[in-house]
Amino acid sequence: MELVTMPGQKAKGKVWLVGAGPGDVELLTLKAFRILKSADVVLYDALVSQDILDLIPSNAEKIAVGKRAGKHSAAQDEINQLLVTKAYTRKNVVRLKGGDPFIFGRGGEELQTLVASGIAFEVVPGITAASGTSAYAGIPLTHRDYAQGVTFITGHCQLGSRPMDWQGYANPNNTLVVYMGILNANVISDGLIGAGRSADTPVAIVSKATTSTQQRFMGKLGELAQLAADPALQMPALMIIGEVVELADSLNWFEPNTETQAIDIDAAKAL
Ligand code: SAH
């Protein structure tokens, strides 16, 4: 990895790698909230919800560093470089990421750059999309009658270049959560069915989970590609595959499009 340093200078600040959770502003931790409030500069991803961005003090510098599929590595190098540069000149540098920074968030890679540059950091975990989606879609990821374990996989980057362990993921007693999988829905269903998972396994695709525009698309593994191609489906979206999805109707409690926010956002902004 490229070593970014500023010879002759000592870094003034510290980087806080912070998880913003899946969307609902109330799922931000109190620690993340406190750190955001004292930020001098915030570098944030496209996935961070507007409600959370609204909590950043107006005198803090806000930098959108959203990545575009296909341009990952170039953009990631620029982000790494920017984090280091900011840490040299500002005191509290916040790197704000959707969900949890260590789950498919490349948070580890960013920290490796900081380590190489001798910059101090702390990590604040966030509620990952799988947990948020599970709760707000009424789908427990484990349940003694349906699934003894759960696996989080990415359906994106390495497909094609690195073989997916379909055999390992096809275990019928396990729930599979697929991040970034929508564009590869057919590869995922073919891979799992080819490895022996039943085409009748219940699946859910949940878009914009935990927000007022959350939508659930329910079906069977054999029709995953059709569900993923639904023109009403918006990004980001997560797939949950497994028998636990059967519980979604009876355990569903969340009603999108209704005012669920309990805290007074205007008051929180002013804190
Ligand atoms: N670090 C993040 C994940 C980043 S990868 C986390 O811990 O949640 C981005 C993927 O996360 C998206 O492609 C989507 O699959 C999933 N995702 C993130 N937020 C989501 C949301 N609100 N609803 C559904 N899926 C979401």
Side-chain angles (χ1 to χ4, degrees):
M1 176 173 305
E2 183 196 355
L3 178 63
V4 193
T5 52
M6 295 180 117
Q9 286 186 52
K10 197 176 174 316
K12 188 175 161 191
K14 177 168 178 173
V15 175
W16 301 82
L17 178 62
V18 177
D24 181 349
V25 64
E26 284 194 293
L27 295 180
L28 196 68
T29 63
L30 285 173
K31 186 160 185 172
F33 180 72
R34 174 176 66 76
I35 287 160
L36 269 186
K37 284 292 172 190
S38 60
D40 297 309
V41 49
V42 181
L43 290 85
Y44 63 93
D45 282 344
L47 274 180
V48 178
S49 73
Q50 189 57 45
D51 284 344
I52 288 171
L53 296 178
D54 287 347
L55 296 173
I56 300 170
S58 54
N59 59 351
E61 186 185 358
K62 286 194 240 177
I63 307 175
V65 290
K67 282 176 273 175
R68 296 280 164 270
K71 282 178 141 187
H72 266 203
S73 51
Q76 188 63 52
D77 283 347
E78 284 165 32
I79 295 169
N80 294 350
Q81 177 76 59
L82 196 58
L83 273 177
V84 172
T85 323
K86 291 293 175 194
Y88 270 91
T89 52
R90 312 297 293 269
K91 199 158 163 272
N92 294 326
V93 180
V94 176
R95 176 67 176 109
L96 189 61
K97 287 176 174 283
D100 180 89
F102 278 176
I103 305 257
F104 306 124
R106 304 187 75 163
E109 295 168 44
E110 293 178 14
L111 293 190
Q112 285 172 298
T113 307
L114 297 178
V115 169
S117 304
I119 290 166
F121 62 83
E122 287 194 30
V123 184
V124 181
I127 293 184
T128 190
S131 299
T133 303
S134 152
Y136 284 58
I139 306 172
L141 296 179
T142 66
H143 184 294
R144 282 193 298 169
D145 297 336
Y146 298 93
Q148 280 69 54
V150 54
T151 305
F152 297 170
I153 66 167
T154 167
H156 175 51
C157 294
Q158 310 297 353
L159 273 186
S161 59
R162 192 183 288 193
M164 301 285 280
D165 177 19
W166 296 122
Q167 216 63 49
Y169 303 144
N171 175 359
N173 299 321
N174 196 63
T175 305
L176 190 63
V177 178
V178 188
Y179 288 69
M180 297 174 278
I182 300 302
L183 296 178
N184 286 315
N186 58 340
V187 181
I188 293 160
S189 57
D190 287 355
L192 290 172
I193 294 167
R197 192 128 192 188
S198 164
D200 287 332
T201 306
V203 298
I205 298 180
V206 183
S207 74
K208 301 185 114 180
T210 79
T211 74
S212 60
T213 50
Q214 171 176 304
Q215 276 186 291
R216 300 187 316 173
F217 301 81
M218 322 289 290
K220 302 280 182 202
L221 183 57
E223 58 198 25
L224 190 67
Q226 283 111 285
L227 290 181
D230 192 313
L233 179 69
Q234 293 186 31
M235 296 297 151
L238 195 79
M239 296 169 177
I240 302 182
I241 300 169
E243 303 303 323
V244 287
V245 173
E246 271 181 24
L247 295 164
D249 282 333
S250 58
L251 300 185
N252 192 29
W253 57 270
F254 178 60
E255 290 175 19
N257 306 313
T258 53
E259 194 53 65
T260 53
Q261 208 162 271
I263 62 162
D264 179 340
I265 282 294
D266 288 328
K269 276 186 221 164
L271 282 177

